[in-house]
Amino acid sequence: GGGQMALQYYKLFDLLRRRGMKKGELMELANLSWPTMSKLSKGQSINSDIQDRICAALNCQPGDIMEYVPDEETEVR
């Protein structure tokens, strides 16, 4: 199996929804590009600099925007 790190960013989009914020607004606030936004949507890895900017823009903790989802194979059965 792959055993890849899987960081999911659905918490980020949930947070935006709860705050009534559009993706475009976050992009402006955190100075993000469209390729970066699409990476977030797909759960692809982003660098910590971008995570920092998002947390600063939303005034939240990294745990508020991302969650580590382990590979199926490593799950406890």
Side-chain angles (χ1 to χ4, degrees):
Q4 58 187 0
M5 266 195 36
L7 281 171
Q8 298 295 327
Y9 296 94
Y10 57 84
K11 282 185 166 189
L12 166 64
F13 297 107
D14 194 46
L15 185 64
L16 292 181
R17 209 166 35 244
R18 285 204 306 270
R19 293 189 183 184
M21 242 177 115
K22 294 183 172 60
K23 288 182 186 178
E25 292 177 74
L26 175 65
M27 286 173 64
E28 282 183 33
L29 275 173
N31 190 22
L32 307 175
S33 63
W34 271 119
T36 297
M37 282 308 287
S38 86
K39 276 186 173 183
L40 289 166
S41 302
K42 294 174 188 157
Q44 294 174 348
S45 62
I46 55 168
N47 63 42
S48 54
D49 173 52
I50 292 169
Q51 291 169 15
D52 291 347
R53 295 209 303 261
I54 294 173
C55 289
L58 296 175
N59 191 22
C60 67
Q61 299 299 313
D64 296 330
I65 63 167
M66 58 188 180
E67 181 166 68
Y68 172 67
V69 182
D71 209 22
E72 275 84 51
E73 289 179 20
T74 57
E75 263 180 34
V76 182
R77 289 191 165 78

